[in-house]
Amino acid sequence: MTPQRDGRTAFGQGPSGIRHPDRPDRWLVPPWPATVTVHEVVRHFSRFQPRGTSSSQTHLAFYRGYATALTAAQTDDLRTKGAQRWFAEFCRCVDDCVTSAEAEVSALQSFDQVAWVKAIGLTATPELSEKAS
């Protein structure tokens, strides 16, 4: 790890980071230092937010990591009640994103494609037709 002049570690050099769930050889969010402020965490994560075409697993990994990073971040720079209230509300929003992504992943994992195909009267592939019989 490369220390900065102020003694902290440069971004991209820290012990943390989130691997991409669909491509484990890549970072979804590159490592960040262990000692960062809330604002530095928000700035770092905003650069790597998954786009709309990302998988539900990707969104879940991103928001779980974001929530963890916010919890571990230094809050010394949140000096006013307004800043502290903003931080609490922001953390609730990120937690809501985790909950939403968990629900979506759970729904996709329990989705019964065969039952769905039977219900709408379609057979999409020969393999699925065999399962539906």
Side-chain angles (χ1 to χ4, degrees):
M1 290 190 269
T2 310
Q4 294 178 336
R5 282 185 279 235
D6 62 3
R8 292 184 299 174
T9 306
F11 276 90
Q13 302 291 320
S16 55
I18 303 168
R19 289 284 179 190
H20 198 294
D22 301 328
R23 291 175 256 151
D25 60 320
R26 292 183 164 179
W27 291 110
L28 177 60
V29 179
W32 58 92
T35 310
V36 292
T37 67
V38 167
H39 293 98
E40 290 169 323
V41 168
V42 171
R43 186 178 312 117
H44 186 65
F45 273 76
S46 67
R47 293 181 52 220
F48 300 101
Q49 186 165 5
R51 303 298 174 229
T53 58
S54 299
S55 72
S56 299
Q57 289 287 351
T58 299
H59 286 270
L60 180 57
F62 177 83
Y63 286 111
R64 278 184 176 165
Y66 204 167
T68 300
L70 286 170
T71 301
Q74 293 180 352
T75 57
D76 300 343
D77 57 341
L78 302 174
R79 294 186 181 104
T80 67
K81 286 184 181 182
Q84 292 164 4
R85 187 173 53 249
W86 166 83
F87 179 60
E89 290 174 6
F90 190 77
C91 287
R92 275 193 298 278
C93 288
V94 172
D95 288 342
D96 288 347
C97 290
V98 170
T99 301
S100 177
E102 286 173 341
E104 187 174 335
V105 167
S106 177
L108 289 172
Q109 288 172 343
S110 65
F111 177 70
D112 185 348
Q113 188 177 18
V114 173
W116 177 76
V117 167
K118 279 183 177 180
I120 63 170
L122 293 178
T123 52
T125 65
E127 299 85 27
L128 197 53
S129 296
E130 290 171 14
K131 289 181 187 178
S133 302

